Amino acid sequence: MRFSATVLCILFSPILAANSALPAQPVLTVTPAMHHVVAADATLEQLAEGFSWAEGPIAEPVTGDILFSDVPQNKVYRWNEQQGLTVYLQPSGYTGLYPQNNRQQGANGLIFNSEKQ
């Protein structure tokens, strides 16, 4: 279950930075209903590295691609198995209208809207 592993990897990134080895059993499920979200045999996979402050992530509903923000870098990245990591949106929030030294300049959490535009 690629999405589950990706979410866990990004959520646990501070832990992974301190410990180079990935945990063998990254999730302890308390209720069986959790297996609707995270597969019982989910494992962690580090997809990329070198980000200042990764935020998100979300799976694109049609393709399953993983999107996440690097807030201070003002970018949204896309990851898929075919292309790996690519920049999806830059700038992702701050456009330079009010110049300042702001570490929270880009997009933060991501969500897809079910309404067609």
Side-chain angles (χ1 to χ4, degrees), residues 42-83:
T43 60
L44 293 178
E45 177 183 356
Q46 186 170 340
L47 302 176
E49 61 186 356
F51 308 102
S52 301
W53 170 6
E55 186 82 21
I58 190 165
E60 204 278 329
V62 175
T63 64
D65 292 359
I66 305 300
L67 283 83
F68 64 94
S69 309
D70 188 342
V71 179
Q73 299 304 315
N74 202 14
K75 295 179 184 177
V76 172
Y77 290 95
R78 176 185 291 263
W79 183 91
N80 63 43
E81 291 187 57
Q82 293 77 30
Q83 297 178 321

Side-chain angles (χ1 to χ4, degrees), residues 79-101:
W79 183 91
N80 63 43
E81 291 187 57
Q82 293 77 30
Q83 297 178 321
L85 186 70
T86 57
V87 174
Y88 177 71
L89 181 64
Q90 180 185 17
S92 68
Y94 179 67
T95 61
L97 184 61
Y98 300 104
Q100 58 184 315
N101 185 10

Side-chain angles (χ1 to χ4, degrees), residues 98-112:
Y98 300 104
Q100 58 184 315
N101 185 10
N102 183 355
R103 298 265 309 149
Q104 299 180 35
Q105 61 188 0
N108 208 310
L110 303 174
I111 189 169
F112 282 96

Side-chain angles (χ1 to χ4, degrees), residues 4-54:
S4 299
T6 304
V7 170
L8 294 173
C9 187
I10 291 174
L11 291 176
F12 288 115
S13 60
I15 295 168
L16 295 176
N19 303 315
S20 59
L22 299 175
Q25 186 177 8
V27 177
L28 172 63
T29 55
V30 180
T31 64
M34 183 67 176
H35 293 274
H36 292 287
V37 180
V38 178
D41 62 348
T43 60
L44 293 178
E45 177 183 356
Q46 186 170 340
L47 302 176
E49 61 186 356
F51 308 102
S52 301
W53 170 6

